Amino acid sequence: MSLVPGNASDSVKDIISQIFDWHTGKKAFGSRLIPGLIPTEVSISELNDRELTAVFEKDVTKDMLNNDGHVTGGCYMTLVDLCTGMVIQGHLTAVTGAPKPGVSLSLSIVVHHPAVLGDRLRIISRTSLPEDGTYTAQTEVWSVNRHFVVATGTHINVTPSTSQSSKPRL
């Protein structure tokens, strides 16, 4: 990952690489989408360290399509979840020195125009980290060869609360 362009440190790129490895090394959900997902840039805003951008590319494959020949909403949702998770953890590493556990509060996508077999997708994920433990990342999914946005997504992630008691509440 250190060969990936961008000004993010090697430790940030390594966290993103570890997330890649975790998803491809196990039969985890989304593991079929990771192969062929190529990181092309990981950068931190030069104005301040509050924004990280990561760019990935992936060719649309037949197993990503529905019966109409369009990329399924589930594939977009998985790509947005994976890529935003990587930028959130990469950014936390850049700012605090280590990733932190997180829980998804909200994950949403809008499909603007269907991608089809033969499209190359460019997934651009950006995150900004406020001080309160709520992390938000936005993603745009572009068709590189047709030059338009096919989907957008937002992921809101929070620090999990600590258990006050070992007894379940009813």
Side-chain angles (χ1 to χ4, degrees):
M1 266 306 254
S2 62
L3 299 177
V4 173
N7 66 357
S9 69
D10 286 347
S11 64
V12 169
K13 293 176 183 179
D14 286 345
I15 288 297
I16 292 173
S17 179
Q18 288 173 28
I19 295 169
F20 263 98
D21 293 345
W22 186 87
H23 279 282
T24 56
K26 298 182 177 190
K27 292 193 183 235
F29 183 81
S31 62
R32 290 181 57 152
L33 283 175
I34 293 284
L37 186 65
I38 302 162
T40 61
E41 179 186 348
V42 181
S43 296
I44 294 182
S45 171
E46 293 184 15
L47 297 176
N48 60 47
D49 64 358
R50 305 310 290 171
E51 184 177 288
L52 182 131
T53 300
V55 182
F56 307 88
E57 291 192 358
K58 177 161 180 65
D59 292 325
V60 173
T61 57
K62 191 172 182 176
D63 62 344
M64 296 169 65
L65 306 177
N66 61 21
N67 290 336
D68 294 326
H70 303 141
V71 172
T72 68
C75 281
Y76 291 123
M77 184 67 83
T78 302
L79 287 169
V80 168
D81 186 23
L82 291 170
C83 294
T84 56
M86 285 188 264
V87 298
I88 288 170
Q89 292 304 318
H91 202 177
L92 283 165
T93 299
V95 172
T96 68
K100 293 182 180 179
V103 177
S104 293
L105 180 64
S106 174
L107 180 63
S108 62
I109 63 161
V110 174
V111 178
H112 303 279
H113 196 285
V116 296
L117 190 64
D119 276 350
R120 182 167 189 86
L121 303 179
R122 178 171 294 132
I123 301 120
I124 304 167
S125 292
R126 291 181 189 87
T127 186
S128 56
L129 297 180
E131 302 293 331
D132 68 355
T134 302
Y135 317 115
T136 303
Q138 293 84 30
T139 297
E140 296 174 349
V141 182
W142 286 79
S143 169
V144 174
N145 37 335
R146 295 192 291 153
H147 309 290
F148 55 75
V149 173
V150 295
T152 53
T154 301
H155 191 175
I156 301 171
N157 197 281
V158 296
T159 303
S161 61
T162 56
S163 177
Q164 301 272 329
S165 168
S166 61
K167 295 180 183 177
R169 288 195 222 178
L170 301 177

